[in-house]
Amino acid sequence: MRIVIIGGGQAGGWAAKTLRDEGFSGEICVVAEEAWDFYERPPLSKASLLEPDAALPRLFSEEVQQNLNLRWYRPQRAEVIDRVAKTVRLSNGESLAYDQLLIATGGRARLPGASWANHPQVYTLRHWQDAQRLKQRLAQSQRLAIIGGGWIGLEIAASARKCGVAVTLFEQQPALCMRSVSRDVSAHLALMHRQQGVDIRTGCGGLELGDDNGRPVIQCDGKRETFDAVVVGIGVDLNLELARNAGLNIAQGIVVDAQGRTSDPAIFAAGDVAQHHHYGLCIQSWAFAQNQAVATAKAMLDPQAAGYDEAPWLWSDQYQYNIQILGIPSRGSETIVRDNALYFSLDDNGRLTQLVAFNDARTVKLAKRWMAAGRDLSDVPLADPTFSLMSLR
């Protein structure tokens, strides 16, 4: 039996390892656009930029990687899936047959337009090579512009400030990270970065890119400013073309069930491109890429496997803060603030829809249990710093 995995990222890596851990001895083929072994992306905006001798943040040790006994096709692109013949056509013209197929193609960094893609001092951060290029540029820069006030933009801002680079951050929305957190959390993030010297501009209209002797110029609301470099962090475009052209069911992402199975029973999807079967969203987080891929790989071998059923959870390291985000905010949720460190969002029934925690991993672990149990917290004095949250275990 042959399983083909399209994608050499975190989801593809954990799927391959899980297949072996679960006893699969057949052939595993991995089609990857990059030349590297599986590696993690979160360090790219942090340690990979800050540490002088930062190495590739490998997912597994070299020994573990070797023992997976994979057949690599890299750097190659999967171009066509023929569901009738059960083959994948590669960019070198080769055709690869499969018994089961896993699509873990991830996403690519989004840019505002072609002029941005063509400017030599405009950077994105998605791959190992991106981190190497940006790290070299930061060492020669005094002024950096960041386009996008989401998590990746804020992490790069924190790393650049640690390098002593002046940072101006432009965000089109009226608040930072507003698609993923409440307005209270957005305000706290803005204050945190301004205290570190970041110049934050929210509510920017259409940004324009110009050039001043090779240096990028950003025009916002009629004001032109010249920078040494620009980093664009405005999200990703999911690599859904392969699945769409194969006729798989696509909504926000590839529609899958709890076991990662697509509308074709021989094809599964994992990671960024797999739409969360309960929330109907594509969740770009380290935890989802790993845990949903693990559950999917188990289901590929055992149709009775439990499947994936976790609330969205992601984390971000900025300055001295570890920020953890559990769940997603729902419209009209009430936000309860405790010590400017914990932000609870409750629905009309008092159930927790989201917790954002600054340097408090312990409460996040507790909150996962509350969410799983659907616990009513409406009468709990969450805002009272003298009330012990541990008493709710």
Side-chain angles (χ1 to χ4, degrees), residues 44-45 49 109 123-127 130-131 134 152 156 231-232:
L44 297 185
S45 57
L49 294 180
Y123 299 79
T124 56
L125 190 56
R126 187 74 187 160
H127 303 291
D130 297 338
L134 180 57
I152 188 70
I156 294 169
V231 180
V232 178

Side-chain angles (χ1 to χ4, degrees), residues 120-266:
Q121 299 309 333
V122 171
Y123 299 79
T124 56
L125 190 56
R126 187 74 187 160
H127 303 291
W128 172 241
Q129 298 97 314
D130 297 338
Q132 299 309 293
R133 283 184 64 233
L134 180 57
K135 181 180 185 174
Q136 290 173 357
R137 187 58 186 162
L138 283 178
Q140 305 161 5
S141 298
Q142 293 180 308
R143 295 194 73 211
L144 175 72
I146 296 175
I147 313 300
W151 297 108
I152 188 70
L154 295 181
E155 288 181 356
I156 294 169
S159 294
R161 290 300 297 133
K162 283 187 177 179
C163 296
V165 179
V167 176
T168 303
L169 187 145
F170 298 90
E171 168 56 54
Q172 288 195 328
Q173 299 293 330
L176 302 176
C177 296
M178 69 176 291
R179 292 186 188 88
S180 59
V181 294
S182 69
R183 192 168 282 276
D184 294 287
V185 177
S186 294
H188 186 64
L189 290 169
L191 177 64
M192 186 177 91
H193 279 270
R194 285 184 171 124
Q195 287 174 339
Q196 297 289 338
V198 179
D199 181 1
I200 296 175
R201 319 270 182 87
T202 53
C204 298
L207 295 171
E208 292 180 27
L209 176 70
D211 182 83
D212 178 11
N213 293 317
R215 297 173 72 207
V217 177
I218 300 295
Q219 182 168 323
C220 173
D221 298 331
K223 185 180 180 183
R224 290 169 56 87
E225 294 175 81
T226 302
F227 297 91
D228 297 308
V230 174
V231 180
V232 178
I234 56 172
V236 300
D237 290 320
L238 297 175
N239 294 321
L240 297 172
E241 295 82 1
L242 193 65
R244 185 177 284 115
N245 292 339
L248 297 177
N249 192 4
I250 307 281
Q252 295 282 325
I254 303 172
V255 176
V256 296
D257 61 14
Q259 295 179 312
R261 192 176 291 102
T262 71
S263 50
D264 183 321

Side-chain angles (χ1 to χ4, degrees), residues 161-393:
R161 290 300 297 133
K162 283 187 177 179
C163 296
V165 179
V167 176
T168 303
L169 187 145
F170 298 90
E171 168 56 54
Q172 288 195 328
Q173 299 293 330
L176 302 176
C177 296
M178 69 176 291
R179 292 186 188 88
S180 59
V181 294
S182 69
R183 192 168 282 276
D184 294 287
V185 177
S186 294
H188 186 64
L189 290 169
L191 177 64
M192 186 177 91
H193 279 270
R194 285 184 171 124
Q195 287 174 339
Q196 297 289 338
V198 179
D199 181 1
I200 296 175
R201 319 270 182 87
T202 53
C204 298
L207 295 171
E208 292 180 27
L209 176 70
D211 182 83
D212 178 11
N213 293 317
R215 297 173 72 207
V217 177
I218 300 295
Q219 182 168 323
C220 173
D221 298 331
K223 185 180 180 183
R224 290 169 56 87
E225 294 175 81
T226 302
F227 297 91
D228 297 308
V230 174
V231 180
V232 178
I234 56 172
V236 300
D237 290 320
L238 297 175
N239 294 321
L240 297 172
E241 295 82 1
L242 193 65
R244 185 177 284 115
N245 292 339
L248 297 177
N249 192 4
I250 307 281
Q252 295 282 325
I254 303 172
V255 176
V256 296
D257 61 14
Q259 295 179 312
R261 192 176 291 102
T262 71
S263 50
D264 183 321
I267 302 179
F268 297 74
D272 290 3
V273 294
Q275 181 174 302
H276 194 293
H277 72 98
H278 176 68
Y279 290 91
L281 301 167
C282 287
I283 295 163
Q284 288 141 42
S285 80
W286 176 92
F288 184 74
Q290 174 179 303
N291 299 340
Q292 188 263 347
V294 167
T296 298
K298 289 179 178 179
M300 293 174 83
L301 302 179
D302 175 11
Q304 304 306 313
Y308 180 83
D309 193 27
E310 295 177 20
W313 171 58
L314 61 94
W315 52 265
S316 177
D317 287 325
Q318 299 171 34
Y319 310 112
Q320 70 270 36
Y321 300 101
N322 170 254
I323 308 162
Q324 297 197 32
I325 305 98
L326 175 68
I328 54 177
S330 60
R331 266 180 202 205
S333 290
E334 176 195 3
T335 300
I336 300 166
V337 184
R338 178 183 172 112
D339 277 347
N340 282 327
L342 294 170
Y343 294 78
F344 303 92
S345 295
L346 306 182
D347 67 13
D348 293 341
N349 298 312
R351 286 182 301 226
L352 186 68
T353 57
Q354 185 179 68
L355 169 65
V356 180
F358 290 76
N359 291 339
D360 193 344
R362 196 174 172 206
T363 299
V364 174
K365 281 178 95 170
L366 199 56
K368 286 180 180 179
R369 292 184 216 157
W370 301 340
M371 273 190 178
R375 184 165 188 160
D376 182 356
L377 300 170
S378 50
D379 294 329
V380 175
L382 296 172
D384 182 358
T386 65
F387 174 76
S388 170
L389 295 172
M390 294 301 135
S391 68
L392 297 175
R393 280 184 296 186

